Amino acid sequence: MKAIIPVAGAGMRLRPLTYTQPKPLIPVAGKPILSFIVDQLVELGVTDFIFIIGYLGEKIREYIERVYPQLDTVFVNQEERMGSAHAIWLARDHYVDADEIIIFFGDAIIDADLSEFVDSEVSCIGVKTVEDPRQFGVIEQDPEGNIRGLIEKPTIPRSNLAMVGCYKIREVQKFIEACAHNLEHKIRSIGEYPLTDALARMLEWGVELRTIRVDNWFDCGRREVLLQTNATFLDRPGFATDDPPPYDNSIIIHPVHIGKDCVISNSIVGPHVTVGANTKLENAIVSDSIIGDYARIHDIVLRKSVVGNDASIGGMRQSLNIGDNTEIDFGG
């Protein structure tokens, strides 16, 4: 089995954070999003990985090669972003002889027992019921649970069963042919060649596909979801810093994850805060936030914020002389 992880996207919805940091490397509870995926697959015995890189791809390559030197890794560059099926098709020479492939998109965290994917005897798609499926690939099923259609980002969805970005393909040659067919005949959805359309072609050709429901799915493409995911995992065992060192005149409200070699003074940190390594906090109150490596936060109150690496924020203290019957709102 080979794992294919597309990570070529630009992370438009998380800008300006993703101008210099690829979305899969943004930390959640002290751990990059991409590591959640790789670690899950490694635990299941997967050792061969193909990463489809593009925007800031060298940073992803450097991270994987440094943190996972024991894995067999291949990096394929998608120079022109034409959709997920196009990205995976570009890497076909590296998996054409595989017995089966497993595909995980590198910007979402899947909370499920993935052994069901690995052990499945037929090709399968991870799904979850969502309130608004219009931004996702959608599965249509008959009353018996058989897949009868797959549609990418439908304007009027016929189902609320969304694909969550994890797939297992046993008919590898058919999959490559389906991608090639759509590319050759310019069969697109919303101007791209999505994986949804390639799977729909396989279904049309008689390939059996089944769904596997996941427990939770964290699509970390928006700031509010990123922060919610950070809080969710910090509440779980093994992610928060249980015994942080004493900091100068500061209060730590658990759960938090604080990286190595941080300097914290005259501050209140937490709850649900991830602080990167070598970061300095002075005279700050920070809650429900993610702070990157080598950042400096001083003289400020931050809540529900995401701060990138090497950023510096401060200077929000005020000195006021307020008379009677006055109302001031700095919240806007």
Side-chain angles (χ1 to χ4, degrees):
M1 176 181 290
K2 291 192 175 184
I4 303 172
I5 304 183
V7 283
M12 302 288 289
R13 293 177 297 173
L14 283 176
R15 286 187 170 174
L17 190 67
T18 51
Y19 277 126
T20 55
Q21 176 84 322
K23 181 169 63 172
L25 296 187
I26 293 174
V28 170
K31 183 175 179 176
I33 294 169
L34 185 56
S35 276
F36 280 86
I37 301 163
V38 174
D39 288 349
Q40 283 178 301
L41 294 174
V42 169
E43 287 178 7
L44 293 171
V46 180
T47 59
D48 290 344
F49 284 80
I50 302 167
F51 295 90
I52 316 297
I53 59 175
Y55 180 75
L56 299 176
E58 284 306 310
K59 288 192 173 185
I60 292 176
R61 180 170 189 158
E62 185 277 330
Y63 175 79
I64 292 295
E65 291 180 339
R66 174 171 51 85
V67 177
Y68 301 99
Q70 77 281 12
L71 299 180
D72 293 323
T73 56
V74 172
F75 297 87
V76 176
N77 189 42
Q78 185 188 26
E79 295 182 1
E80 183 180 2
R81 292 191 295 275
M82 297 171 60
S84 53
H86 171 259
I88 298 167
W89 179 80
L90 287 175
R92 62 196 180 280
D93 290 344
H94 299 289
Y95 62 83
V96 64
D97 295 328
D99 294 329
E100 52 192 11
I101 58 176
I102 190 164
I103 302 169
F104 270 69
F105 287 97
D107 56 0
I109 298 173
I110 306 297
D111 190 14
D113 180 7
L114 298 185
S115 62
E116 192 173 358
F117 281 91
V118 174
D119 297 339
S120 175
E121 296 182 357
V122 299
S123 296
C124 54
I125 302 169
V127 297
K128 184 172 176 59
T129 301
V130 298
E131 292 184 3
D132 184 1
R134 290 175 296 176
Q135 296 302 312
F136 308 103
V138 175
I139 297 281
E140 293 183 33
Q141 290 183 311
D142 61 23
E144 287 73 38
N146 300 309
I147 297 177
R148 64 183 183 187
L150 302 93
I151 303 175
E152 180 68 15
K153 297 180 180 178
T155 303
I156 304 176
R158 298 182 181 180
S159 162
N160 61 353
L161 203 57
M163 290 183 277
V164 301
C166 54
Y167 314 82
K168 177 180 177 178
I169 307 295
R170 292 181 60 89
E171 299 82 0
V172 175
Q173 191 60 45
K174 281 285 187 184
F175 172 74
I176 294 173
E177 292 172 4
C179 292
H181 176 88
N182 288 354
L183 287 163
E184 180 182 349
H185 294 86
K186 293 183 169 35
I187 301 173
R188 309 184 187 190
S189 292
I190 318 178
E192 294 186 339
Y193 298 99
L195 184 56
T196 305
D197 289 356
L199 296 173
R201 190 69 52 218
M202 293 177 67
L203 186 69
E204 180 182 293
W205 290 346
V207 175
E208 181 182 359
L209 300 173
R210 62 168 292 198
T211 59
I212 294 179
R213 293 182 180 256
V214 304
D215 300 322
N216 290 296
W217 165 45
F218 303 95
D219 181 15
C220 299
R222 292 179 290 119
R223 182 176 66 95
E224 56 270 26
V225 177
L226 186 66
L227 292 172
Q228 179 187 358
T229 306
N230 182 63
T232 297
F233 280 94
L234 284 175
D235 283 332
R236 297 184 180 183
F239 288 94
T241 302
D242 292 329
D243 189 21
Y247 295 109
D248 182 28
N249 194 35
S250 296
I251 298 172
I252 306 299
I253 304 174
H254 296 282
V256 299
H257 178 93
I258 300 176
K260 295 181 179 179
D261 301 320
C262 289
V263 176
I264 300 175
S265 61
N266 305 311
S267 297
I268 301 174
V269 181
H272 299 130
V273 173
T274 288
V275 180
N278 298 285
T279 286
K280 188 173 185 178
L281 279 73
E282 301 174 286
N283 307 310
I285 300 174
V286 183
S287 63
D288 298 295
S289 297
I290 298 173
I291 311 297
D293 298 338
Y294 293 95
R296 187 188 175 209
I297 311 296
H298 65 96
D299 303 302
I300 196 169
V301 177
L302 288 181
R303 179 175 175 271
K304 295 187 179 300
S305 301
V306 180
V307 179
N309 299 333
D310 299 294
S312 179
I313 304 175
M316 292 295 289
R317 290 189 300 175
Q318 292 86 23
S319 177
L320 303 174
N321 186 13
I322 306 299
D324 294 345
N325 300 309
T326 300
E327 179 179 341
I328 296 177
D329 181 5
F330 288 108

